Amino acid sequence: MPARITAPDSPALDELCQTLAAHASELNSPPTFPKQQLKLCAEAGVFEWFLPAELGGQGWHEADLARGYMRLAAACLTTAFVITQRVGAMTRLAGCANQGLKERLLPPLLRGETFATIGISHLTTSRRHLGQPVLRAEETADGFVLNGYSPWVTGALHAQHIVLGAELADGRQIILALPTDLPGVTVPQPPELVALSASCTGPMHCEQVQVSRDWLMAGPMLEVMKRGLSAMTGGLQTSALALGLSRAALDFLAAEAEQRPQLLPPHNALHEDWQQVERELLAAATGTPVCSGDELRAQANSLALRSTQAALAAAKGAGFVATHPAGRWCREALFFLVWSCPPSVLDANLCELAGMEVL
């Protein structure tokens, strides 16, 4: 059993990350959900980082959480991404007013005995352009009836609960801890993605699913994500994961530069950029931001794309083999162009790709 990790500079985290990195490529052929990796993380106390001591956690500061996420993402982005979705479910449970639900679900989640994930993207960015909500709720005397689907749920096939958002006909919204074994809940085989297919991210469907009020976490209310549980969104985590991926690519480039000095100038230039964006991330995490969250995210996305492609170029033909980490990192970097990517971030990345100034 791995030693318990209580700080981002812990030797135990070094050991865990070495193990995750050694097996990262094995998750892809065929795509295999990282159950063993999550088990190791649970044993090492990783899930405790995100909750306060009174709920059984370690209550890490936001800056330490960012450092921890960077380390995990550099080792295995698939595992780190799945953890963000697991943590999203846990922190929203921790912040809800349903005390009985918290006492029932959080302890086994902290110990790694159960798995929960989150399905709320359709309340914020995904499918909001459609004329009606994709996941609809009808209030009844005992609770709610759900119909429709959530388009992007990570690990739903392996989850006992999904923290799920739905919308009523009058525009009010709810968040529930949906048990996945309820009649009418179905999870099809997730699609193969450009990268991170092992995260098993795809749709889940509800057909006349009756959910009692015992599972209600927030609502019904208008804009539940803004007025209900939005404080637990952890908006810096996406940038932290992008920086972690970039760190892995830069470490590879540095190792190659030891034998090929011509690689040192591009490595150094990218490394300087990386250090700058890391400073901005940690400044934001300590409550002293030097740029907006969207600006930080756009810079982290750019760095992930540029550093992984530099690693691929340095690896030459070997990097173009599907099993080489440089090729995998390039595919994984594309994920940040679509994962919870608000319009301002997308615009900034598109302008950079087009060689334009940000409009």
Side-chain angles (χ1 to χ4, degrees), residues 161-320:
H161 298 90
I162 299 173
V163 171
L164 190 68
E167 189 166 321
L168 281 71
D170 61 6
R172 292 179 300 157
Q173 298 171 334
I174 58 172
I175 295 180
L176 300 155
L178 178 75
T180 56
D181 59 358
L182 289 179
V185 176
T186 57
V187 181
Q189 192 66 29
E192 185 174 355
L193 306 176
V194 172
L196 302 170
S197 289
S199 69
C200 294
T201 298
M204 60 81 58
H205 296 264
C206 293
E207 184 177 355
Q208 292 294 111
V209 176
Q210 299 185 35
V211 190
S212 79
R213 204 169 292 271
D214 293 341
W215 302 101
L216 183 64
M217 294 171 55
M221 65 177 70
L222 295 173
E223 297 185 315
V224 69
M225 292 297 294
K226 293 182 179 179
R227 299 173 53 202
L229 303 177
S230 60
M232 281 65 69
T233 55
L236 299 179
Q237 66 182 14
T238 313
S239 296
L241 263 61
L243 280 176
L245 177 64
S246 181
R247 175 78 271 173
L250 289 176
D251 286 347
F252 173 82
L253 199 58
E256 291 294 304
E258 291 180 2
Q259 303 298 322
R260 297 152 63 193
Q262 68 272 24
L263 297 177
L264 202 54
H267 167 269
N268 291 345
L270 286 165
H271 186 249
E272 287 180 11
D273 284 355
W274 190 93
Q275 289 178 312
Q276 175 63 31
V277 181
E278 184 200 33
R279 284 193 294 268
E280 293 176 2
L281 172 67
L282 296 179
T286 55
T288 56
V290 297
C291 65
S292 72
D294 284 358
E295 288 172 331
L296 173 62
R297 172 71 191 278
Q299 292 179 70
N301 282 8
S302 170
L303 195 54
L305 291 165
R306 290 183 289 121
S307 59
T308 56
Q309 290 182 47
L312 177 62
K316 299 184 178 181
F320 207 63

Side-chain angles (χ1 to χ4, degrees), residues 67-147:
R67 292 184 178 97
Y69 264 140
M70 283 190 283
R71 294 291 309 280
L72 293 172
C76 178
L77 185 63
T78 296
T79 300
F81 169 58
V82 172
I83 288 174
T84 67
Q85 305 307 286
R86 190 185 206 284
V87 167
M90 289 172 54
T91 54
R92 285 175 173 82
L93 280 166
C96 80
N98 190 333
Q99 190 64 29
L101 195 60
K102 287 195 284 192
E103 292 174 355
R104 191 159 69 249
L105 298 188
L106 281 179
L109 281 170
L110 276 171
R111 295 190 297 266
E113 297 167 359
T114 58
F115 177 70
T117 188
I118 192 161
I120 57 171
S121 65
H122 52 282
L123 296 185
T124 54
T125 56
S126 183
R127 304 301 197 275
R128 296 302 292 168
H129 60 285
L130 300 179
Q132 65 174 352
V134 295
L135 186 56
R136 303 171 298 282
E138 177 185 349
E139 195 164 10
T140 67
D142 300 322
F144 303 89
V145 176
L146 304 181
N147 281 287

